[in-house]
Amino acid sequence: MSLKPLGVGIYSAAIKKDKLPDSGYADMIATTTRLNKVGAKLGANSAVHAMTDVTGFGLLGHALEVARGSKVSLVVDMKALPFLREAAQLAQQGCVTGASHRNWASYGASVTLPLHCADWQRHLLTDPQTSGGLLVACEAAEAQGILETIREEGYAEARVIGRVEAGPPVVRIGV
């Protein structure tokens, strides 16, 4: 599960290029100032097996940390990922950070992207987040209930974004 929308780094790059609309700035501030307090509640749930905050290494980097630490493969559904409203359009316009490029260079060999994944789509996945959401791994049978708990705590954008599979510690992106 992912709790907050992705795209904070893209929005930050857009600010530097004077391309972020006022509504985008308001969205960015709202997500970066919302604390991940629900993590304490989730940590007490025995169905939750792992959590990490999504920050500077982007979703892929932190997902890979979970995969490596747990010795499993993670499969992420690209269509299920929550993004800030303008993130895709801004990424297509080249509003990406240098850290996004460095992130991919450091862990891209352990990630499988869809065959026709455009660079701008990859940047959405490697985008460094400031005060990003939590990435939560839990028992599949409990996922919907845990998702409801998260949403009740004020994280309306939270989504089930993939699954854990037996296999080498890698991340695969599905469409």
Side-chain angles (χ1 to χ4, degrees):
M1 273 177 247
S2 178
L3 269 60
K4 291 183 184 179
L6 303 167
V8 171
I10 289 167
Y11 274 36
S12 175
I15 288 171
K16 294 173 186 172
K17 294 182 176 192
D18 199 29
K19 290 185 176 186
L20 186 68
D22 291 342
S23 62
Y25 184 77
D27 289 345
M28 183 178 79
I29 295 302
T31 193
T32 58
T33 58
R34 185 179 338 146
L35 301 178
N36 291 320
K37 295 187 297 185
V38 71
K41 189 173 202 174
L42 297 175
N45 186 328
S46 62
V48 174
H49 300 291
M51 279 188 288
T52 187
D53 57 337
V54 178
T55 56
F57 295 116
L59 175 70
L60 289 182
H62 292 287
L64 187 57
E65 286 179 328
V66 171
R68 287 175 174 163
S70 302
K71 297 178 178 63
V72 296
S73 295
L74 297 184
V75 180
V76 175
D77 178 359
M78 181 80 164
K79 293 177 187 168
L81 294 173
F83 293 104
L84 289 168
R85 229 178 319 184
E86 321 246 355
Q89 179 182 359
L90 290 167
Q92 289 175 61
Q93 294 174 16
C95 295
V96 297
T97 67
S100 181
H101 294 283
R102 290 187 297 277
N103 283 344
W104 182 251
S106 72
Y107 56 66
S110 296
V111 175
T112 302
L113 297 173
L115 185 58
H116 298 290
C117 185
D119 283 344
W120 67 268
Q121 291 172 304
R122 186 193 68 211
H123 286 299
L124 291 170
L125 302 170
T126 59
D127 186 46
Q129 305 300 291
T130 298
S131 185
L134 295 175
L135 180 62
V136 179
C138 66
E139 291 181 29
E142 302 295 323
Q144 287 306 314
I146 292 169
L147 179 61
E148 286 307 313
T149 297
I150 293 167
R151 288 182 174 164
E152 288 169 4
E153 294 291 324
Y155 302 85
E157 300 92 352
R159 305 280 185 279
V160 174
I161 63 166
R163 64 186 183 281
V164 175
E165 293 182 348
V170 297
V171 176
R172 292 190 316 271
I173 305 299
V175 290

